[in-house]
């Protein structure tokens, strides 16, 4: 499921540096050890569960990343790199610091780095330049996210992008997360797991409230409570609902304030907004200490999209995604979620590479997506009129984006 970036990266990095200093690691001389080589490495990769993730990584993440000076890495649960993909020149530079298949890039072994911290804390992490403990890694930035077994929830590996400063951007982290979600869907399919689509009857209160937060008309409540159906929430109330939905474990007043505004809100103001929201939704819907939504009390169209992606039903995800999350919101937490959700759907569309999915995408939320239009123009299943229309649209977008 979608969510924030976890604990503040700066705190994770600071704690990692302290651990490395306590262990007496010299950042000027330490180098990652290489545990697996040759046939041992090949055998380990072939037998590992992350092997079924590699095709998704290569089709979704690699094409848009390696051409811009980045390398993509997949590692196992012990931080050993299984595959490193990128242009030969970039990989050669990375090899100088032993960023190669078989090498161990844990936090314990080499100090602060995104793969190591992602494994240690089981969360998506970004590490920029000199935040790396190893001096030889200071010219690189990286972002990584863990991959879990969809049946057991066990952490089985990670996906990482390493390169220039853009490797640690919001856009890159969102793309990595989208790839992870698709990879876990592939693992679910390979294991024969069935994830049923939740229905109103599955929810503890019958699903009496539903909030539309995607695309035009976002922020509208539907439900069988008098006075609720069709009610438009204030922008702030819609933001609070979205953030609490994304954090089912709950948020403190301070954490919620930081996600709602760049200039931290006063917690008193947050408390007042939540109090007003309770009067709209009902006192049983929003809990306190920490703030959280009661399980099953509020359904959202975001969940429709992520549930469909989790089931591998890309067409249903596209149909459920009319446009960006709360498009007029500038709340930092909402902006991160907006980018993440859009990236998830887009990555699934481009990975599926199916004519009906591409058509549905470009007819709706993906109408400005040049890569999707190019895919449509190249599709061997498209008729002549579809190809011609797609090629014309590509020319328009090429001119608009200066391609």
């Amino acid at each position: 499921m979608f969510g924030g970036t976890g604990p503040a990266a700066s705190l994770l990095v600071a704690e990692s540096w302290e651990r490395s200093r306590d262990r007496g690691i010299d950042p000027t001389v330490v180098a990652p050890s290489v545990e697996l080589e040759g046939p041992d490495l090949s055998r380990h990769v072939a037998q590992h569960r992350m092997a079924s993730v590699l095709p998704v990584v290569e089709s979704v993440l690699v094409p848009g990343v390696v051409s811009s000076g980045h390398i993509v890495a997949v590692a196992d649960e012990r931080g050993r790199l299984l595959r490193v993909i990128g242009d030969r020149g970039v990989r050669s530079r990375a090899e100088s610091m032993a960023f190669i298949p078989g090498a161990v890039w844990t936090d314990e072994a080499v100090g602060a780095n995104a793969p190591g911290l992602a494994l240690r804390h089981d969360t998506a992490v970004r590490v920029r330049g000199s935040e790396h403990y190893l001096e030889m890694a200071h010219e690189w930035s990286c972002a990584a996210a863990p991959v879990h077994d969809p049946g057991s929830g066990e952490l089985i590996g990670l996906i990482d992008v390493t390169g220039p400063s853009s490797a640690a951007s919001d856009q890159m982290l969102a793309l990595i997360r989208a790839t992870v979600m698709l990879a876990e869907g592939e693992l679910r399919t390979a294991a024969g797991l069935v994830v049923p689509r939740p229905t109103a009857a599955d929810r503890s209160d019958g699903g009496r409230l539903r909030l539309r937060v995607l695309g035009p008309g976002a922020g509208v409540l539907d439900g069988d409570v008098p006075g609720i159906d069709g009610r438009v929430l204030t922008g702030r109330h819609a933001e609070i609902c979205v953030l609490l939905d994304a954090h089912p474990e709950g948020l403190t007043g301070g954490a919620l304030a930081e996600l709602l505004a760049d200039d931290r809100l006063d917690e008193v103001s947050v408390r007042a907004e939540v109090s007003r929201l309770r009067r709209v939704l009902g006192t049983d819907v929003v809990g306190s200490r920490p703030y959280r939504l009661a399980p099953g009390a509020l359904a959202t169209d975001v969940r429709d999209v992520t549930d469909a992606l989790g089931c591998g039903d890309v067409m249903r995800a596209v149909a459920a995604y009319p446009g960006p999350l709360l498009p007029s919101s500038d709340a930092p937490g909402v902006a991160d979620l907006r980018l993440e959700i859009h990236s998830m759907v887009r990555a699934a569309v481009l990975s599926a590479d199916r004519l009906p999915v591409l058509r549905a995408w470009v007819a709706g939320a993906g109408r400005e997506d040049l890569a999707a239009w190019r895919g449509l123009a190249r599709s061997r299943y498209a008729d002549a009129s579809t190809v011609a229309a797609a090629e014309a649209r590509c020319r328009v977008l090429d001119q608009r984006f200066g391609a």
Side-chain angles (χ1 to χ4, degrees):
M1 188 56 62
F2 64 96
T5 58
S10 57
L11 176 60
L12 300 187
V13 169
E15 291 174 345
S16 175
W17 275 62
E18 186 175 350
R19 286 192 299 271
S20 296
R21 290 186 180 120
D22 289 345
R23 290 196 297 269
I25 297 177
D26 185 343
T28 66
V29 299
V30 67
S33 62
V34 179
E35 287 191 357
L36 295 168
E37 295 181 284
D40 290 338
L41 174 62
S42 298
R43 186 163 46 252
H44 178 67
V45 173
Q47 295 173 350
H48 200 277
R49 282 174 290 178
M50 290 295 288
S52 60
V53 165
L54 292 172
V56 176
V57 173
E58 291 171 353
S59 64
V60 175
L61 189 58
V62 169
V65 169
V66 300
S67 60
S68 53
H70 301 87
I71 49 180
V72 175
V74 175
D76 67 12
E77 72 282 4
R78 291 174 53 184
R80 295 175 294 190
L81 303 183
L82 303 178
R83 184 73 59 82
V84 178
I85 308 167
D87 291 339
R88 179 64 230 174
V90 183
R91 283 190 289 115
S92 293
R93 288 174 47 223
E95 287 170 4
S96 66
M97 61 176 183
F99 197 81
I100 57 175
V104 180
W105 276 80
T106 60
D107 171 64
E108 292 78 10
V110 295
N113 68 93
L117 291 177
L119 287 180
R120 183 181 185 90
H121 297 282
D122 195 9
T123 190
V125 178
R126 293 178 279 199
V127 175
R128 297 177 174 87
S130 59
E131 291 179 334
H132 288 94
Y133 190 72
L134 293 187
E135 289 190 0
M136 67 179 71
H138 285 187
E139 65 176 290
W140 302 89
S141 291
C142 52
V147 178
H148 299 86
D149 181 280
S152 66
E154 178 188 4
L155 192 157
I156 61 172
L158 64 90
I159 298 172
D160 166 85
V161 172
T162 294
S165 59
S166 53
S169 66
D170 291 344
Q171 292 80 2
M172 190 65 75
L173 192 60
L175 183 55
I176 293 170
R177 282 188 178 134
T179 306
V180 167
M181 185 171 189
L182 293 171
E184 291 176 348
E186 183 66 24
L187 289 167
R188 184 178 294 110
T189 300
L193 298 175
V194 177
V195 181
R197 184 183 184 187
T199 66
D202 296 324
R203 299 187 170 95
S204 60
D205 66 347
R208 64 189 180 91
L209 293 178
R210 177 178 172 80
L211 179 62
R212 287 177 272 154
V213 290
L214 296 174
V220 178
L221 271 173
D222 300 313
D224 56 12
V225 178
I228 287 290
D229 191 45
R231 179 163 183 167
V232 179
L233 293 184
T234 67
R236 182 64 82 201
H237 286 172
E239 290 168 347
I240 292 172
C241 288
V242 163
L243 293 169
L244 294 182
D245 186 47
H247 296 271
E249 74 283 2
L251 291 167
T252 64
L256 185 55
E258 289 181 350
L259 292 170
L260 287 170
D262 284 320
D263 298 326
R264 181 173 172 139
L265 291 176
D266 189 295
E267 288 190 38
V268 174
S269 299
V270 172
R271 187 161 58 247
E273 288 288 359
V274 173
S275 178
R276 286 190 282 268
L277 179 60
R278 282 198 184 100
R279 290 199 290 271
V280 175
L281 300 181
T283 56
D284 60 328
V285 174
V286 184
S288 298
R289 299 180 183 177
Y291 296 123
R292 62 193 180 280
L293 295 174
L298 182 68
T300 68
D301 48 359
V302 169
R303 295 284 169 171
D304 294 339
V305 173
T306 55
D307 288 345
L309 289 175
C311 294
D313 192 339
V314 182
M315 180 60 87
R316 177 155 62 88
V318 172
Y321 182 70
L325 172 70
L326 294 179
S328 62
S329 172
D330 59 2
V334 173
D336 286 346
L337 289 171
R338 181 189 302 134
L339 177 60
E340 183 176 340
I341 294 163
H342 186 86
S343 296
M344 285 179 179
V345 181
R346 181 176 186 268
V349 168
L350 297 180
S351 175
D353 193 25
R354 290 165 42 208
L355 183 60
V357 172
L358 286 169
R359 276 178 166 162
W361 176 245
V362 299
R367 54 188 167 274
E368 302 296 306
D369 190 338
L370 179 56
W373 281 107
R374 284 175 173 163
L376 194 56
R378 292 193 302 265
S379 174
R380 65 179 182 274
Y381 301 109
D383 57 37
S385 61
T386 298
V387 170
E391 290 175 342
R393 184 62 174 165
C394 287
R395 288 192 291 271
V396 170
L397 294 177
D398 277 336
Q399 293 175 355
R400 181 179 302 169
F401 301 141

